Amino acid sequence: MEGTEFKADGLLDSKPHYELLDGLRGVAALLVLIYHVFEGLAFAEATNGAGAGLITTLNHGHIAVDFFFILSGFVISYAYDDRWTKMSLGGFFKRRLIRLHPMLVMGAIIGAIAFFADGFQKWDGTVTPTSWVMIAMLLTMFMIPAVPGVPYEVRGNGEMFPLNGPGWSLFFEYIGNILYALFIRRLSTKLLAVLAVVLGILHALFFVGNISEYDSVGVGWTIDTINFWGGLVRMLFPFTVGMLLARTFKPRKVRGAFWVCSAMLIVLFAVPYIASSGKPSINSLYEVLCIAFIFPAIVWLGACGSCCKSDKQTASINKFLGDISYPLYIVHYPIMYVFYAWLIKNEYYSLSDCWGVAAIVVLSSIALAYTMLKLYDEPLRKWLAKRFIKKQ
């Protein structure tokens, strides 16, 4: 495996670096970005009563989040499982906060700016008082979710973090980190496998059984009972699978893995919506199978691909995509809110109606993510690491 340093959570470590997994995280983040463009077209169509509002391209793009959860489990287990004799709980949580929280704070600020640019309007056209927007921004910075219907749930559609919707997955990511540090890391590999199987059964029962009635695994974005418990299962199953992969992974050289894995992700996300009536949910079954079997295979291939020396072009692509993956995921959705409002106002429901603006949205999201990475996230994390992390 190439490389002598593994930058766990942005901090130097002595372990090799799975560079292809970084790249694949970036590919998934880009696919989420494109998926949300088409989600906006469907949302505008449904909001204006012009159609059913079904997403017609990259229909399964939301399961990129589940791919992120598998990657998180893999990376955390790989980076930290053997460090607990030298690292305290406090040290672990400091590292995770330094890695995740600066961009979360910036995402809340950008979300408030985007809401201001849209006139503080809820989706129903009413205006939210500035004071509640400021409270929503502060609560988002501290990862305190908004309960549907409270005044600081400022957009009025039930989002856990109404200024930056994707924050919901970070909410569950934090829960996963806490459970890992307090409990899951202590399990033997066999017990971890048992836990993964039990969670897999619960995962399948919940989603294929269509308990949420969403006809997909897309739960967790709000804080009602179904979404909380569904989101918890949605996070914990792939997270433990990722941990299990890290513990049992044995390197093999697989050339061209980045391109193969990227193509697999595109194909999986692009499969058309699978309609069904009643229960079980066939669409959810497809997504559950992707999460349980195909995503772990992609992570395994990506890790194997890191055992081969990449050409300079592929290595550069992996580094760029890996660097912007998290910032892009965090900062793009406030831009999407403005885009969605524009689509609703102009009654645009297909990409052919607005491809130029959609391209600007995608490119500006990438540019903003890279700018925030270089001017804010990396310098701040470097300073925080020097200030609060003891060298080991």
Side-chain angles (χ1 to χ4, degrees):
M1 184 181 302
E2 295 301 310
T4 57
E5 293 177 336
F6 176 67
K7 294 185 179 180
D9 309 320
L11 304 173
L12 294 181
D13 198 348
S14 59
K15 293 186 176 182
H17 188 179
Y18 288 112
E19 61 178 25
L20 262 68
L21 296 186
D22 286 347
L24 292 175
R25 184 185 290 108
V27 170
L30 285 174
L31 292 174
V32 168
L33 172 62
I34 296 169
Y35 165 78
H36 281 150
V37 169
F38 290 98
E39 180 189 59
L41 293 167
F43 182 63
E45 182 183 55
T47 301
N48 288 334
L54 288 177
I55 300 172
T56 57
T57 305
L58 291 180
N59 308 271
H60 304 280
H62 57 274
I63 61 174
V65 173
D66 307 85
F67 185 66
F68 295 150
F69 287 147
I70 291 181
L71 287 173
S72 293
F74 186 99
V75 169
I76 287 174
S77 183
Y78 173 70
Y80 293 111
D81 274 1
D82 60 356
R83 298 174 66 170
W84 287 95
T85 56
K86 299 179 179 179
M87 181 177 63
S88 65
L89 281 174
F92 172 77
F93 289 128
K94 284 179 184 178
R95 288 174 181 269
R96 296 308 291 157
L97 283 169
I98 289 171
R99 176 64 184 99
L100 298 174
H101 218 75
M103 278 308 307
L104 191 70
V105 170
M106 181 55 66
I109 295 171
I110 294 172
I113 294 171
F115 198 34
F116 170 77
D118 205 31
F120 288 166
Q121 284 195 4
K122 295 184 177 182
W123 294 119
D124 64 5
T126 60
V127 176
T128 301
T130 304
S131 57
W132 286 118
V133 178
M134 295 300 100
I135 290 172
M137 182 177 70
L138 183 65
L139 293 176
T140 300
M141 289 178 177
F142 286 93
M143 287 299 286
I144 300 174
V147 178
V150 298
Y152 53 86
E153 193 266 290
V154 293
R155 288 188 181 274
N157 62 339
E159 286 178 290
M160 189 184 293
F161 298 102
L163 293 178
N164 197 358
W168 74 264
S169 64
L170 272 296
F171 175 80
F172 286 106
E173 176 96 4
Y174 274 28
I175 292 176
N177 279 236
I178 292 169
L179 292 176
Y180 164 78
L182 297 179
F183 168 64
I184 302 176
R185 69 177 174 86
R186 303 176 188 274
L187 298 178
S188 67
T189 300
K190 288 184 179 180
L191 286 177
L192 179 63
V194 171
L195 177 61
V197 169
V198 171
L199 288 169
I201 293 170
L202 291 174
H203 189 270
L205 289 173
F206 186 94
F207 292 112
V208 180
N210 204 19
I211 292 174
S212 67
E213 298 186 350
Y214 287 2
D215 201 26
S216 77
V217 302
V219 304
W221 56 276
T222 188
I223 199 67
D224 63 21
T225 303
I226 288 294
N227 274 271
F228 176 77
W229 293 109
L232 195 61
V233 172
R234 183 182 179 185
M235 177 275 297
L236 281 174
F237 172 53
F239 185 84
T240 54
V241 168
M243 284 189 62
L244 192 61
L245 274 172
R247 289 192 184 183
T248 58
F249 176 69
K250 295 182 179 179
R252 295 183 182 181
K253 291 185 177 182
V254 177
R255 298 191 179 278
F258 171 74
W259 303 105
V260 172
C261 292
S262 297
M264 290 175 68
L265 288 173
I266 293 170
V267 170
L268 292 173
F269 293 173
V271 168
Y273 172 76
I274 306 170
S276 60
S277 58
K279 300 177 181 181
S281 167
I282 305 303
N283 194 67
S284 296
L285 175 61
Y286 168 75
E287 293 177 351
V288 166
L289 291 174
C290 287
I291 295 163
F293 299 105
I294 306 178
F295 284 175
I298 291 174
V299 173
W300 181 84
L301 280 172
C304 287
S306 295
C307 299
C308 302
K309 185 175 181 179
S310 300
D311 60 81
K312 289 184 178 180
Q313 183 179 13
T314 302
S316 297
I317 291 171
N318 280 316
K319 185 179 187 309
F320 175 74
L321 291 176
D323 286 347
I324 69 163
S325 58
Y326 179 54
L328 180 61
Y329 183 71
I330 290 297
V331 305
H332 83 280
Y333 212 68
I335 297 174
M336 288 294 170
Y337 287 128
V338 178
F339 178 56
Y340 289 11
W342 180 80
L343 291 173
I344 293 169
K345 180 179 179 180
N346 291 279
E347 300 184 357
Y348 292 148
Y349 313 131
S350 68
L351 188 61
S352 60
D353 295 330
C354 59
W355 65 268
V357 174
I360 291 172
V361 166
V362 169
L363 293 174
S364 63
S365 296
I366 295 171
L368 179 61
Y370 189 75
T371 301
M372 290 297 101
L373 172 73
K374 294 300 180 181
L375 299 184
Y376 167 75
D377 189 44
E378 286 184 342
L380 180 56
R381 283 193 286 124
K382 184 178 181 180
W383 181 84
L384 290 171
K386 288 181 178 180
R387 177 70 174 81
F388 294 105
I389 302 297
K390 295 180 180 179
K391 292 183 179 181
Q392 297 177 1

